[in-house]
Amino acid sequence: MASSETSGYSILDQYRTISGKLKKRFLRKPNETEAAKAFADLGHQCQSQDLLHYAAISWIAAARCEGMLGNNVNETSYLVKAARQFLKAEEDEVYIDCPSVPTEYLQASFACYGHASSRFTEDSVLPLSLNLELTDFLQKIGRNEFVRVHLDNAVDLSNGRPESQLYCLEKLGEHLVSMGDYVTALQTYQSMAKMLDNRLKSGHQCSVLLNCEINSIFLLLILKPSPQNISPDYARLLEKYTWGNKSDPSLQACKMSEKLFILMQSLVTICQSVHTSSLADLESDFWSFLNAFQKDLLRTLLKVYTL
């Protein structure tokens, strides 16, 4: 610990020395280019010594110098480096279960990511990538309370890029389910389905549409809306599996197989009846048609009707 503290003081001395060179002096203009390089070198030095927050602070200073020089590319690069160091510092504290100030490093990383994103042009995909990078990290360390806002940002930033927006909405839907917000998750999957309506679909888009259909039915059954409170759109969704048949245009569009349609029909019929004891028998039949997320969703559904 003593050596770490000694390194910290040494780093601060170097930081102050570099900062001092940026002060305006009589007949002498500060050399931002030299300072940016010195701060960046200090950042690498701190990282090599595992002094993560010192590395982040050094790269923020380097970014500030690059911003003064109008070098947006270098400025954003250093800001992202700083953000990632703050995240690593947060991850280390989560791992040892000994946070210094709750969310201090997270909030600092959010600020760096936000500042970096603001420096890109409106047509750049990099702010979207940064939001997704941040949400992946937050989910990794279990800080789900911060995920929603960044996923919402990602959805907004992906507007005008259909494939990217579908991906972001899918991640949002899965997050909402993990948080127990089944109503908004259902709305999310229905939004995805509407995006794909009346469009010539690739094989991947058909697969996405099929997943939306399965997820929506599972969520509707989990929510158990009463006939008096169910919306017309959701009522029509369930009716496909009570009064409809495999020739329904939406089922043709997602290329649902005959066997899966029969299983979905059986599931809806049993859930709408008073005899739900046979639901467990359907679980194994569904297995080969579902991804890991849908298998968990089906288990949740079975618990709702069998407990």
Side-chain angles (χ1 to χ4, degrees):
M1 180 64 71
S3 63
S4 176
E5 290 176 355
T6 302
S7 296
Y9 287 126
S10 174
I11 295 300
L12 289 174
D13 288 340
Q14 293 180 65
Y15 185 94
R16 292 189 189 101
T17 299
I18 301 168
S19 298
K21 294 179 180 179
L22 285 171
K23 292 180 180 178
K24 291 183 179 180
R25 301 185 189 280
F26 183 64
L27 297 178
R28 181 185 170 190
K29 184 181 178 182
N31 190 333
E32 288 92 354
T33 302
E34 181 182 321
K37 184 180 184 307
F39 279 127
D41 289 342
L42 184 60
H44 287 293
Q45 178 187 336
C46 293
Q47 185 179 15
S48 69
Q49 297 177 30
D50 213 27
L51 299 170
L52 304 176
H53 61 290
Y54 286 117
I57 292 168
S58 298
W59 276 319
I60 289 173
R64 190 178 300 116
C65 292
E66 296 290 358
M68 292 176 185
L69 294 165
N71 297 333
N72 283 1
V73 173
N74 288 345
E75 180 187 9
T76 52
S77 175
Y78 288 137
L79 285 168
V80 172
K81 280 178 178 287
R84 288 170 178 164
Q85 291 303 296
F86 281 129
L87 291 184
K88 183 66 169 61
E90 177 72 18
E91 184 178 18
D92 286 351
E93 293 206 340
V94 168
Y95 179 74
I96 63 174
D97 195 25
C98 185
S100 52
V101 178
T103 76
E104 176 187 20
Y105 293 142
L106 274 183
Q107 296 300 334
S109 72
F110 296 163
C112 289
Y113 274 120
H115 191 182
S117 295
S118 71
R119 309 304 288 162
F120 293 106
T121 58
E122 288 187 5
D123 60 344
S124 174
V125 299
L126 290 173
L128 170 59
S129 298
L130 293 178
N131 269 276
L132 292 174
E133 176 181 307
L134 188 51
T135 57
D136 286 344
F137 173 83
L138 291 169
Q139 289 173 325
K140 175 185 172 185
I141 65 169
R143 301 308 298 261
N144 289 318
E145 68 272 28
F146 297 106
V147 170
R148 174 69 187 275
V149 64
H150 297 290
L151 278 176
D152 284 341
N153 287 343
V155 171
D156 291 340
L157 289 167
S158 63
N159 190 31
R161 302 183 178 96
E163 291 301 319
S164 295
Q165 191 157 48
L166 284 170
Y167 176 77
C168 294
L169 285 168
E170 186 173 22
K171 285 183 70 70
L172 176 60
E174 291 181 359
H175 170 69
L176 291 166
V177 168
S178 74
M179 300 300 288
D181 188 352
Y182 300 133
V183 172
T184 313
L186 175 57
Q187 294 168 351
T188 300
Y189 289 118
Q190 285 299 287
S191 295
M192 293 172 66
K194 287 177 182 176
M195 282 181 64
L196 291 168
D197 276 350
N198 304 317
R199 185 182 301 181
L200 186 62
K201 300 171 201 34
S202 65
H204 171 69
Q205 289 172 330
C206 287
S207 177
V208 171
L209 191 57
L210 178 60
N211 285 335
C212 289
E213 184 78 9
I214 295 170
N215 296 346
S216 295
I217 291 297
F218 285 2
L219 287 166
L220 257 179
L221 294 174
I222 289 170
L223 288 167
K224 290 184 172 182
S226 66
Q228 294 77 22
N229 294 327
I230 191 170
S231 72
D233 285 343
Y234 292 158
R236 284 191 291 271
L237 186 59
L238 287 176
E239 283 170 4
K240 284 190 284 186
Y241 301 96
T242 50
W243 307 107
N245 56 57
K246 179 66 174 57
S247 63
D248 186 285
S250 66
L251 299 180
Q252 293 291 315
C254 69
K255 297 185 178 179
M256 181 178 288
S257 69
E258 185 71 32
K259 185 174 181 180
L260 179 56
F261 173 74
I262 292 171
L263 284 172
M264 296 288 284
Q265 200 172 43
S266 302
L267 181 69
V268 172
T269 302
I270 294 171
C271 288
Q272 290 181 332
S273 72
V274 293
H275 304 292
T276 59
S277 57
S278 58
L279 269 178
D281 299 333
L282 282 178
E283 185 176 6
S284 60
D285 295 329
F286 264 108
W287 231 232
S288 62
F289 296 99
L290 307 180
N291 57 37
F293 169 75
Q294 291 166 338
K295 288 175 182 177
D296 286 340
L297 199 55
L298 180 59
R299 290 191 191 100
T300 300
L301 189 158
L302 294 177
K303 288 178 183 177
V304 168
Y305 286 87
T306 57
L307 289 181

